Amino acid sequence: MIYKELQILPIKPNELEILLNLSKKTFFDAFNKQNSPENMMAYMDSAFTVEKLSSELNNPESSFYFVRHQDIPIGYLKLNFGSAQTELMQGKSIEIERIYVLEEFQGQKIGQILIEKAISIAKTNNADFIWLGVWEKNPGAIRFYQKNGFEVFSSHLFTMGTDIQTDILMRLLLV
């Protein structure tokens, strides 16, 4: 089983280039079939730059974790605390901004391991709830989060190039 060989470790600043490449690949693989090449490139050229990821990685209110298989990063988790969250929430909350896993490792419960890590961190930090945004056109992800106890509570707009999309906001109450 792959689980016994997995490690989830904080991403270090000197691993920025690995994070950048993994971010681009996993995002592209997840969304390129449902978005135009122009919108994908416009978004990726702004969201996944050395400067932007370096700023996020060095933000004390964000945490990044690689999931590694045989010491090779195969996915990652990004959590936001306090003012780093993409939406201001009432109560003490933590945002899961990103859970991405390489295509060849999907379907092996790695996303489940990462969501459990996020929930554990939220509980350790005495959060009232943990929340995330998921694209309304991603029914598999929505089902995955519902299976883990997340419930829809709102929505917000997400800009992908020139396309304005809707993200469903979901949360898991922890108290």
Side-chain angles (χ1 to χ4, degrees):
M1 257 223 160
I2 192 172
Y3 308 119
K4 295 177 184 175
E5 302 170 19
L6 293 179
Q7 295 179 300
I8 301 175
L9 299 168
I11 298 175
K12 300 175 187 124
N14 67 345
E15 296 174 307
L16 176 63
E17 199 67 35
I18 297 167
L19 175 62
L20 178 64
N21 292 331
L22 187 62
S23 296
K24 287 179 178 180
K25 177 158 182 39
T26 54
F27 187 87
F28 182 84
D29 289 348
F31 300 110
N32 83 83
K33 292 178 184 96
Q34 296 170 292
N35 291 283
S36 74
E38 298 80 18
N39 285 336
M40 285 293 294
M41 291 308 293
Y43 179 79
M44 291 176 61
D45 286 347
S46 66
F48 302 123
T49 66
V50 169
E51 297 77 21
K52 182 144 179 22
L53 279 179
S54 178
S55 173
E56 293 175 8
L57 193 57
N58 290 307
N59 183 338
E61 292 192 308
S62 292
S63 296
F64 285 83
Y65 298 86
F66 276 140
V67 58
R68 295 175 177 269
H69 177 254
Q70 298 177 343
D71 206 36
I72 298 169
I74 60 169
Y76 75 100
L77 166 68
K78 180 186 181 200
L79 301 175
N80 293 323
F81 306 80
S83 64
Q85 295 179 73
T86 57
E87 297 276 338
L88 294 176
M89 296 286 162
Q90 297 290 333
K92 188 172 181 189
S93 64
I94 295 175
E95 176 189 18
I96 300 172
E97 186 176 351
R98 297 182 198 135
I99 290 183
Y100 287 113
V101 176
L102 288 171
E103 266 187 332
E104 58 265 34
F105 290 95
Q106 290 180 6
Q108 298 182 47
K109 308 261 186 223
I110 295 167
Q112 185 65 44
I113 291 167
L114 289 172
I115 196 93
E116 289 170 6
K117 175 74 171 177
I119 292 167
S120 173
I121 290 169
K123 288 179 177 177
T124 299
N125 282 275
N126 298 311
D128 297 331
F129 63 95
I130 188 165
W131 71 278
L132 53 86
V134 59
W135 189 23
E136 67 180 349
K137 293 183 181 177
N138 193 345
I142 293 168
R143 280 192 305 276
F144 169 75
Y145 295 123
Q146 287 173 328
K147 184 182 86 172
N148 279 282
F150 284 74
E151 296 179 347
V152 174
F153 71 96
S154 189
S155 66
H156 70 189
L157 298 179
F158 178 85
T159 304
M160 171 77 77
T162 59
D163 187 23
I164 307 299
Q165 302 177 353
T166 300
D167 277 354
I168 296 169
L169 301 184
M170 303 180 78
R171 71 177 161 211
L172 174 66
L173 299 176
L174 300 172
V175 291

